[in-house]
Amino acid sequence: MMARVKWAAMALMAMIGTMLVTVASARAAGDGVTVAGGNGDGSAADQLDVPYGVAVDGSGNVYVADNFNDRVQQWASGATSGVTVAGGNGNGSAADQLDFPYAVALGADGTLYVADTDNNRVQAWSAAARALDQLSGLQAASVGLGGGASLANKVQAITAKAAAGNSAGACGSLGGYVNQVQAQSGKKIPLATATALIDLARQTAATLGCTI
């Protein structure tokens, strides 16, 4: 607890209390564009709580060390919410947990490295592991949507391709999934739900090294 108070004070002194991450906008000098968070402090998919370290991959995905939520969030360009790609299972020292993550970095092979401050360690998540975690979340969110279990079954097949190392095949199938969701958006699938599913599918594709 004392360590959290100490780091919280440092975060405040570093002027991170705005709870959002911004980048300079080329459209107007001095203006910024919110690329992650900006919806108050909290643990929802569209929120951050004392964000600190940030990394960006070659596809423009932003990775944020979401300190007080003990997770790392990935935000695709233009996404309305983030996806948890490390931690997010409460603060702790288990292999799937973080305790006040402070900084993030990306290796040339897409491996995500996290400075897990209060655990005094650096944790690594491979791109393949992150993609499978994202697909698991996408499948769970797809159950019962799009007519029976058709969307969930599609994600299950995509997961099998990703697990077998067929990233190109998985990406192609994710494109088909997005097309199906778009076709049913506002009809069989509520608009907000469709938007969230498409965001997650695109971020998963980015983790696999492709764009859809």
Side-chain angles (χ1 to χ4, degrees):
M1 178 60 73
M2 289 302 296
R4 283 180 173 268
V5 172
K6 176 184 69 175
W7 286 107
M10 290 180 65
L12 180 61
M13 292 173 64
M15 302 298 289
I16 308 298
T18 54
M19 307 302 173
L20 51 82
V21 179
T22 60
V23 295
S25 170
R27 293 177 296 178
D31 289 348
V33 175
T34 300
V35 297
N39 298 298
D41 62 299
S43 59
D46 65 347
Q47 294 179 307
L48 299 169
D49 196 350
V50 190
Y52 212 87
V54 174
V56 182
D57 66 19
S59 299
N61 296 294
V62 177
Y63 299 81
V64 187
D66 191 7
N67 294 165
F68 277 15
N69 285 321
D70 301 299
R71 66 187 184 183
V72 174
Q73 294 291 91
Q74 174 189 327
W75 291 67
S77 177
T80 58
S81 61
V83 175
T84 301
V85 293
N89 298 299
N91 69 294
S93 58
D96 64 347
Q97 291 180 307
L98 296 169
D99 196 350
F100 205 80
Y102 183 78
V104 291
L106 288 164
D109 62 352
T111 298
L112 177 69
Y113 297 90
V114 186
D116 191 11
T117 306
D118 278 9
N119 282 322
N120 299 298
R121 66 186 184 183
V122 174
Q123 292 288 89
W125 274 266
S126 70
R130 299 200 320 272
L132 290 175
D133 282 345
Q134 289 170 322
L135 285 167
S136 177
L138 186 61
Q139 182 174 353
S142 300
V143 171
L145 296 176
S150 59
L151 281 177
N153 288 342
K154 185 181 288 289
V155 178
Q156 186 174 22
I158 295 169
T159 301
K161 292 179 181 178
N166 184 7
S167 296
C171 285
S173 296
L174 276 169
Y177 172 93
V178 167
N179 290 338
Q180 185 175 344
V181 172
Q182 289 175 330
Q184 298 176 0
S185 177
K187 301 172 185 176
K188 292 182 178 180
I189 304 176
L191 181 59
T193 301
T195 299
L197 290 174
I198 291 169
D199 279 351
L200 179 52
R202 286 176 172 163
Q203 290 180 68
T204 303
T207 301
L208 289 167
C210 60
T211 302
I212 57 173

